Amino acid sequence: MRSALNRRAFLQNAIRTPVGKMTMRPNAHGELVSLLAYGAMRLPTIDGNQAGLDWGGSPAPIDKPEVFAQVDWAIEHGVNLFDTSPCYCRGESEGMLGEALARHPRNKWYVSTKLSNFAPETQTAAASEKMYRTSLELLRTDHVDYYHLHAVGMGGFEAFKKRYLDNGMLDFCVKERAAGRIRNLGFSFHGERKVWDWLIERHEQYKWDFALIQLNYVDWRHGHALNERNQDAELLYGELVERNIPVFVMEPLQGGKLAKFDYGVAEKLAPLDPEATPAKWAMRFAGSPPKVLSVISGMTFREHLEENVTTFSPLKPVDDREKAALEAAAEELVSARVVPCTACQYCMPCPYGLDIPGILGVLNRALGEKRLPDPKSPDFEKQRRQFLLDYELSVPEPLRRADHCTGCNRCQPHCPQTIDIPREIQRVDGIVERLRI
Ligand code: SF4
Ligand code: SF4
């Protein structure tokens, strides 16, 4: 949340006026889709924060007038794709988005949602079908434009089999597509290569209309280096292009991490465009591969929406020099051993109450800003105080901090980034312990 707020403060003083029209790309059926998609995963709440998934985020109600205003502004400025899921914003995202979109003619927008049957009780055919029909109801539509098998690969092949094969839900979705109630069928992918291969090898059979992958200038060539169970985006993108499957992009800013002047980005990129923000660089990179149909970016604050719209109106693809500079920045991030946490909160709630993304965020900020306390550094005392202060402010409740981790490992299988969460939490605990002496 902190990085989103920092980006916001920065943008409040900037002028954002789209200079042209939104870049549009054709989908598998020749319909034009805006390169920027409005992601409704982290909608604004009335306390000025953002909502999380079924858990986490601000507990305050969603700021409905603000969501309506953002959706109106987005449509007015050429955005025509809106992405949601039954599990976003404590289950309120679909209803809120449905209400906002219903105020506009149906031919002005496309909606994308997902079969988010993560909980075992939602994995029977009856419960999963109910989830799908509820999505249609909440979105106030008789058809969904893009329907995802949500986060396939997370939990391995067994989870995929349970969620979509054993219960017949994949066949069900194919039938719904034939009936026209699903216009485009695809999947969002996280992690496990075996699941990816299964889906890709069956493209002839299922005729995927799209696939959603995590693509940003770090994951492009370093997704696997950051976590050996993840795949490089360049590789996944190449396999999709080979089969002519349109690509949707998620996490263009890696959960907000790339929206900050960290990891040496400023020094490497400023000579090329001193005015550009880190988020603009990251968004331009994500939108540049020509087979990317749309980049889904979670919107919370108006400033983010305005900046993203401006960046893509129209998109100026990154050139070879810019690409090389972004790759150099990515290498720096990878060598800093930053944890690839996107703050998505899928690992929450921790049964012992830990604030997992909050704890990992403290570590990442220290790594990114090159102030991880080093006893050999002349700045050690300053670094020490800064780290502990950030920890206390970011995770104010002592019971939610790293020293309460039992190592039970309940969180780990839920992480789409396949982070070894207990190990990283222990890493933070070790640092804090050493600093407190
Ligand atoms: S391993 Fe630690 S962080 Fe993960 S669920 Fe268990 S107590 Fe929570
Ligand atoms: S640790 Fe993994 S599941 Fe948890 S917030 Fe970070 S990326 Fe998401």
Side-chain angles (χ1 to χ4, degrees):
M1 195 176 295
R2 170 178 282 236
S3 58
L5 291 169
N6 286 349
R7 180 184 170 201
R8 190 184 186 198
F10 179 83
L11 289 173
Q12 272 160 354
N13 299 319
I15 299 166
R16 297 165 305 280
T17 315
V19 293
K21 285 197 181 315
M22 168 71 58
T23 296
M24 309 295 281
R25 299 233 170 111
N27 72 1
H29 315 292
E31 293 163 345
L32 291 179
V33 177
S34 55
L35 185 57
L36 178 69
Y38 180 102
M41 181 184 188
R42 300 178 172 113
L43 292 174
T45 48
I46 57 167
D47 59 356
N49 277 313
Q50 59 191 20
L53 296 178
D54 282 347
W55 46 84
S58 167
I62 291 173
D63 187 343
K64 185 162 146 178
E66 178 56 24
V67 174
F68 279 22
Q70 288 187 14
V71 167
D72 295 352
W73 194 89
I75 290 179
E76 204 181 305
H77 290 83
V79 175
N80 69 358
L81 179 60
F82 294 80
D83 177 75
T84 179
S85 147
C87 73
Y88 293 170
C89 304
R90 304 178 301 266
E92 289 177 53
S93 172
E94 285 186 321
M96 188 63 68
L97 193 60
E99 210 179 327
L101 289 172
R103 297 154 50 253
H104 295 269
R106 185 65 178 92
N107 64 2
K108 288 274 179 205
W109 48 269
Y110 298 120
V111 74
S112 152
T113 193
K114 312 183 178 84
L115 184 52
S116 310
N117 55 353
F118 300 111
E121 64 274 16
T122 61
Q123 290 169 0
T124 62
S128 289
E129 276 183 39
K130 187 169 173 226
M131 184 177 278
Y132 161 72
R133 295 193 199 289
T134 305
S135 291
L136 289 172
E137 262 170 50
L138 290 171
L139 290 166
R140 301 170 184 222
T141 179
D142 58 2
H143 66 275
V144 56
D145 301 290
Y146 293 88
Y147 200 61
H148 305 232
L149 311 182
H150 193 181
V152 297
M154 202 163 92
F157 194 80
E158 266 315 297
F160 171 70
K161 197 164 156 288
K162 262 193 218 146
R163 291 176 58 202
Y164 301 111
L165 304 184
D166 295 349
N167 59 9
M169 281 312 289
L170 175 51
D171 294 335
F172 171 85
C173 289
V174 170
K175 281 188 199 135
E176 285 298 283
R177 178 173 59 183
R181 285 183 288 272
I182 290 175
R183 302 277 310 284
N184 295 273
L185 179 63
F187 55 87
S188 64
F189 177 71
H190 285 284
E192 179 92 27
R193 178 81 210 187
K194 189 173 164 193
V195 180
W196 174 267
D197 289 342
W198 192 98
L199 292 159
I200 289 295
E201 282 161 14
R202 285 161 183 77
H203 176 50
E204 278 305 303
Q205 182 183 350
Y206 293 112
K207 309 227 174 333
W208 304 113
D209 298 298
F210 67 93
L212 172 61
I213 60 171
Q214 181 161 320
L215 190 157
N216 52 61
Y217 67 83
V218 179
D219 286 301
W220 185 246
R221 293 213 169 131
H222 305 278
H224 189 65
L226 283 171
N227 191 318
E228 61 184 28
R229 280 150 68 186
N230 282 349
Q231 315 297 322
D232 289 349
E234 186 179 29
L235 191 88
L236 301 181
Y237 175 79
E239 292 188 22
L240 293 172
V241 170
E242 220 173 274
R243 289 162 184 84
N244 218 10
I245 303 173
V247 183
F248 277 149
V249 168
M250 62 179 150
E251 301 293 1
L253 305 177
Q254 259 206 351
K257 282 207 297 293
L258 305 183
K260 292 178 70 190
F261 277 125
D262 277 352
Y263 321 117
V265 170
E267 304 87 78
K268 291 184 175 65
L269 301 177
L272 301 178
D273 182 354
E275 300 298 314
T277 62
K280 183 175 176 186
W281 281 113
M283 292 298 284
R284 280 184 60 212
F285 182 91
S288 289
K291 293 296 174 190
V292 165
L293 179 57
S294 194
V295 177
I296 301 173
S297 187
M299 308 288 179
T300 301
F301 303 114
R302 191 91 59 103
E303 297 86 338
H304 299 173
L305 171 64
E306 290 174 6
E307 187 191 29
N308 292 342
V309 165
T310 304
T311 301
F312 285 173
S313 300
L315 167 79
K316 183 175 163 244
V318 289
D319 62 26
D320 288 348
R321 215 155 59 105
E322 292 169 329
K323 228 193 250 175
L326 286 164
E327 171 57 17
E331 279 167 13
E332 194 145 329
L333 182 145
V334 173
S335 66
R337 285 187 64 219
V338 168
V339 185
C341 174
T342 61
C344 70
Q345 303 186 37
Y346 282 96
C347 56
M348 297 288 277
C350 156
Y352 294 90
L354 271 81
D355 177 0
I356 298 170
I359 294 167
L360 298 183
V362 176
L363 177 63
N364 278 345
R365 277 192 292 282
L367 288 166
E369 290 159 20
K370 295 189 178 153
R371 53 170 179 77
L372 193 65
D374 174 4
K376 290 189 217 112
S377 160
D379 288 333
F380 176 64
E381 190 46 34
K382 189 173 155 211
Q383 292 167 340
R384 189 183 82 85
R385 270 188 278 116
Q386 226 178 329
F387 189 94
L388 291 176
L389 182 68
D390 191 16
Y391 194 43
E392 275 157 29
L393 290 176
S394 304
V395 193
E397 291 171 56
L399 287 174
R400 307 200 70 197
R401 293 184 189 155
D403 54 338
H404 285 84
C405 176
T406 64
C408 71
N409 207 34
R410 292 262 286 279
C411 48
Q412 210 275 327
H414 300 288
C415 177
Q417 308 300 324
T418 59
I419 295 166
D420 186 342
I421 299 172
R423 193 184 67 188
E424 298 298 350
I425 295 278
Q426 238 178 34
R427 187 174 159 202
V428 176
D429 189 34
I431 295 170
V432 173
E433 278 306 298
R434 283 195 296 281
L435 296 182
R436 286 220 159 108
I437 292 169

